Amino acid sequence: MKHKRLSHLAAAACTLALVLSLRPVAKADSGFQDVPASHWAYQAILDAANSGITGGYADGTFHPGGEVTYAQFTAFLARAFYGSPTQSTSSPWYQVYLDAVRGDGVLDGVREQTLSKSIHRYDMARMLYRVMAAKGDLPEKSLREAAGKKLPDWSSIPETYRDAVSACVAAGTLNGLSDGSFGGNNPMNRAQACAVIARLRQSLKGGSSEAPPQSADIPLAELRSGLVKLINRERSGGGVKAVESSSQLDSAAQILIGAVVKGYYETLPDGRQWAYVIPESGFPVGENTTAVQLPVQSCATPEAVLAYMKGTPDVWDELLNGNYTHVGIGYLKDGGSHKDCWNVLLVGNPSSPQTSQPEDLCAELTRLVNAQRAKAGLSALGTMDRLTQAAQLRAKDLSGGYLETRPDGSDWSSALDRTGVQAVYVDESFVVGYHTAADALTIILNTESARNALLNKSHTHLGIGYVHDPNGYQGYQDFWSLIYIQADGSSSGGSPGTPSGATGSLSYTPVPMKDLANRKSLQKKATDEQLAQAYAEAAKLVEPYANLPLEQKLSGICNAIRQRFDSGMSYTMESDHYNDPYGFFIQGGASCAGCTRATGLCLNILGIPYEHVNENQYQHQWCRVKVGGSYWICDPYGLYCGPEPTPYQHANPLLS
């Protein structure tokens, strides 16, 4: 291996060039398939799991991006700071944790019906604040006041939350977002919950957990995409091919900047060469792969990073090196004694090109859009091949800079004429510079006109097109077009509002709907037609697990149901179908009961009978399944699938 080290500069920037000749390295063992060592919250998740604060799923996953409810976060706090058991057999399952924190008022003001809802940053801050107060370890008043004044959105923070927010920011347990604001209405996910628990354990007297370097709790995608756009503008101006963004390299760059701020430039803290994080991130590495990392600190914006690099000849030469084909960006707002730390990771000659499948990305964004509509009580938007083709044409237009017109000078809507779409009304939204469907949705929801189009009740169908172009318009690489229409009925190929592809050929034979073992329970208020729609969705969902052993079927179904809920569905007990599979699969909203019946429908389709535990009761519910001589709990909403912790003595006749 060859190394090149540049001298340290005023802003503590350095570069390391390495010709990689590595065989793939095994991922560090976090115990979870979806939490590699390159994950930003890896250490916090590992600490939480090893300490019994939280665990993963039966299939070996953790779901770091999954929601955290008030009840779940209460359990985390109770286990971390109040000596509560890691497993609970109480009913409801979280009662023992509520009792543990009740004396310190941690949940004062939180209603019973709120416990199953996603927790937001404001309320998480208040719960953390009450733990700190109970332990007698609040930051000094002057530090809290100074922390509050630094938040640009301080004036908009409700008075009832200000003490908690300022204390958490001063203690470093909850940091601001990447733009400096607190963003109290943003939800928190499982990885972020583990991170704040780790920070709180560190800040409290006698804390034993090593907190990870503090980055923004919810990093904004625009930081990375903004810097990549600037880099590619400069590369284009210098006649050099643009570098492509890579989410794997973003993860690697994030790990590396965490090491750099601790003084590890050529190696990782465990002694390995820094470049090992690249194959560990999942990025394909070949014998001739080259890589360089360019750390920079004390630059608050992408523009400042670029200006610094321009003034540093050796760094600038690397940035304009045509041998590099891909880029990852790491960023830490606060790295201890280092502030606003960046890492530009450039890689060339990967073993295979990094490609995205446009159809998969578009399908994911379609699903997320319909989940948002379901939250608003609107019907799902249908899809049509011709409408999708028109949107794909528009995405290609956008990559060439044609925003309002087509390359031939015609209006943008002529793309629909080209593919034969007939509509009463058409509208287009477009997103530029964001690679994932989740990031694209965030931009849509934060842009008034785009959000209004998404929530327009008159729209019946949606077509989405996506193009990734490394040499795209003004240095951007990712271009999305969303075309909404109100169909005139002649070209829809189906009823308005009914997504296409609800049925199709399956690789197994599902149990017919009329023969479902638990049909009476499953149907609830749904009509036969509505149950049939849910049945079609569930039949597709269980297909990958149809021929697996029983235990793997159960784990696979629970995992798939939970992932579907985590990806944009809403908890509700107000919709007409909150407690049945139609509400879950078609309307995108469900309660614990609805999640249980959606799980049950999947089980029945594979010929697996179950008992609906606590059915029609106002308490936690799940499916019980007989496995050999024992019973399993199948509970996606409660984050558990596995053997019952205590013997079950009163088997339902269905399970005998």
Side-chain angles (χ1 to χ4, degrees):
M1 293 185 181
K2 298 178 181 179
H3 301 266
K4 182 176 69 175
R5 175 99 177 253
L6 300 182
S7 60
H8 290 278
L9 303 167
C14 72
T15 58
L16 299 169
L18 176 65
V19 177
L20 296 178
S21 180
L22 305 174
R23 61 181 182 273
V25 181
K27 293 182 178 180
D29 184 14
S30 69
F32 304 115
Q33 301 170 13
D34 53 352
V35 185
S38 56
H39 193 282
W40 71 272
Y42 170 82
Q43 191 60 50
I45 292 171
L46 186 62
D47 288 347
N50 290 340
S51 302
I53 295 171
T54 185
Y57 292 79
D59 64 353
T61 60
F62 184 78
H63 294 187
E67 70 166 12
V68 174
T69 66
Y70 286 81
Q72 291 160 1
F73 191 66
T74 301
F76 292 0
L77 291 175
R79 294 165 183 158
F81 304 106
Y82 293 87
S84 291
T86 57
Q87 296 290 332
S88 168
T89 57
S90 63
S91 181
W93 68 269
Y94 48 77
Q95 188 61 53
V96 64
Y97 306 118
L98 304 188
D99 294 341
V101 305
R102 196 179 306 279
D104 287 339
V106 173
L107 278 171
D108 284 358
V110 177
R111 296 177 298 172
E112 177 74 19
Q113 55 266 41
T114 304
L115 291 171
S116 297
K117 296 184 178 181
S118 299
I119 191 169
H120 287 63
R121 288 167 59 82
Y122 278 144
D123 284 327
M124 185 175 282
R126 188 156 60 181
M127 293 172 71
L128 296 170
Y129 172 75
R130 287 169 176 166
V131 172
M132 288 190 285
K135 304 296 183 183
D137 201 12
L138 286 171
E140 296 291 336
K141 183 177 180 181
S142 60
L143 296 177
R144 286 178 291 174
E145 291 176 348
K149 291 177 180 178
K150 291 181 180 179
L151 296 171
D153 58 344
W154 178 253
S155 61
S156 65
I157 295 176
E159 189 68 34
T160 54
Y161 290 108
R162 288 190 175 184
D163 285 345
V165 170
S166 61
C168 287
V169 173
T173 54
L174 265 176
N175 304 306
L177 306 183
S178 294
D179 62 358
S181 65
F182 186 75
N185 291 316
N186 286 300
M188 298 288 280
N189 62 38
R190 285 166 56 80
Q192 292 158 356
C194 290
V196 299
I197 292 289
R199 296 169 190 162
L200 182 56
R201 294 176 74 192
Q202 178 68 15
S203 70
L204 292 176
K205 292 183 176 71
S208 59
S209 176
E210 180 182 353
Q214 295 175 5
S215 62
D217 291 314
I218 306 179
L220 297 181
E222 65 187 62
L223 283 172
R224 283 176 169 143
S225 63
L227 183 52
V228 172
K229 180 181 70 172
L230 294 175
I231 289 171
N232 279 331
R233 282 184 184 176
E234 297 298 330
R235 286 173 69 92
S236 177
V240 181
K241 185 177 180 180
V243 285
E244 294 193 42
S245 298
S246 164
S247 58
Q248 295 103 323
L249 293 183
D250 285 342
S251 297
Q254 196 69 29
I255 291 292
L256 290 171
I257 194 59
V260 167
V261 298
K262 293 181 178 181
Y264 295 93
Y265 294 97
E266 295 191 19
T267 63
L268 299 171
D270 61 11
R272 293 179 302 152
Q273 292 290 339
W274 65 265
Y276 273 86
V277 301
I278 297 174
E280 287 180 358
S281 74
F283 188 87
V285 172
E287 292 184 359
N288 297 317
T289 298
T290 59
V292 63
Q293 59 166 329
L294 308 173
V296 177
Q297 74 174 61
S298 302
C299 293
T301 65
E303 290 77 10
V305 174
L306 191 72
Y308 173 79
M309 290 180 163
K310 277 187 175 182
T312 311
D314 288 337
V315 174
W316 193 243
D317 288 345
E318 294 288 2
L319 204 67
L320 298 185
N321 189 329
N323 292 326
Y324 297 122
T325 57
H326 293 79
V327 64
I329 306 294
Y331 171 73
L332 286 175
K333 183 178 181 63
D334 186 349
S337 59
H338 306 284
K339 309 300 179 184
D340 290 307
C341 305
W342 302 75
N343 199 356
V344 178
L345 178 60
L346 297 167
V347 178
N349 300 315
S351 63
S352 60
Q354 298 292 291
T355 59
S356 299
Q357 297 299 324
E359 59 272 20
D360 294 337
L361 292 169
C362 294
E364 174 68 5
L365 184 52
T366 300
R367 188 176 61 78
L368 294 177
V369 166
N370 277 331
Q372 291 295 321
R373 288 178 63 87
K375 285 183 180 181
L378 302 174
S379 60
L381 297 172
T383 60
M384 292 187 289
D385 289 343
R386 284 174 285 180
L387 184 57
T388 299
Q389 291 165 10
Q392 192 64 29
L393 288 176
R394 285 293 299 142
K396 180 63 175 176
D397 293 347
L398 295 170
S399 72
Y402 297 96
L403 307 184
E404 301 293 337
T405 63
R406 303 216 60 227
D408 62 4
S410 62
D411 185 77
W412 69 266
S413 61
S414 65
L416 281 76
D417 299 330
R418 173 79 178 272
T419 60
V421 175
Q422 300 180 32
V424 175
Y425 178 81
V426 299
D427 193 5
E428 181 186 43
S429 300
F430 55 81
V431 177
V432 174
Y434 295 86
H435 177 67
T436 68
D439 285 342
L441 180 70
T442 298
I443 299 305
I444 291 168
L445 296 179
N446 289 326
T447 305
E448 184 177 5
S449 60
R451 184 176 64 252
N452 290 342
L454 186 153
L455 297 176
N456 189 324
K457 65 181 181 181
S458 298
H459 291 157
T460 60
H461 291 76
L462 170 65
I464 297 181
Y466 169 79
V467 166
H468 179 76
D469 183 356
N471 298 302
Y473 176 63
Q474 290 192 352
Y476 291 105
Q477 298 185 19
D478 301 281
F479 302 85
W480 302 79
S481 170
L482 295 84
I483 301 181
Y484 303 87
I485 68 168
Q486 179 183 345
D488 67 359
S490 63
S491 62
S492 64
S495 59
T498 302
S500 63
T503 60
S505 60
L506 299 171
S507 62
Y508 73 105
T509 302
V511 173
M513 192 172 81
K514 65 182 180 64
D515 296 330
L516 296 175
N518 299 71
R519 175 167 178 177
K520 183 177 180 180
S521 169
L522 292 169
Q523 188 141 3
K524 293 299 286 183
K525 294 182 180 180
T527 65
D528 288 348
E529 181 182 355
Q530 289 170 336
L531 181 60
Q533 291 181 53
Y535 175 96
E537 288 296 310
K540 291 187 293 184
L541 182 144
V542 304
E543 185 173 11
Y545 317 108
N547 299 311
L548 297 178
L550 177 58
E551 292 88 345
Q552 294 181 31
K553 287 179 181 176
L554 302 182
S555 296
I557 289 171
C558 281
N559 184 39
I561 289 288
R562 183 66 197 198
Q563 285 185 336
R564 187 162 184 143
F565 189 90
D566 286 343
S567 64
M569 290 180 61
S570 61
Y571 180 89
T572 177
M573 292 186 66
E574 298 176 357
S575 71
D576 290 341
H577 296 279
Y578 73 91
N579 59 355
D580 66 35
Y582 179 76
F584 184 93
F585 284 110
I586 306 303
Q587 293 186 331
S591 66
C592 175
C595 194
T596 299
R597 288 193 174 90
T599 305
L601 177 58
C602 293
L603 295 172
N604 272 189
I605 285 174
L606 293 182
I608 304 170
Y610 68 94
E611 177 186 357
H612 187 144
V613 179
N614 296 327
E615 185 173 18
N616 299 324
Q617 299 181 41
Y618 192 72
Q619 56 183 306
H620 190 60
Q621 302 176 34
W622 63 88
C623 295
R624 176 182 281 126
V625 177
K626 188 172 184 180
V627 179
S630 62
Y631 297 90
W632 271 37
I633 292 173
C634 297
D635 184 12
Y637 199 79
L639 303 176
Y640 181 71
C641 180
E644 286 193 320
T646 56
Y648 179 52
Q649 303 297 330
H650 46 285
N652 185 285
L654 279 173
L655 306 184
S656 61

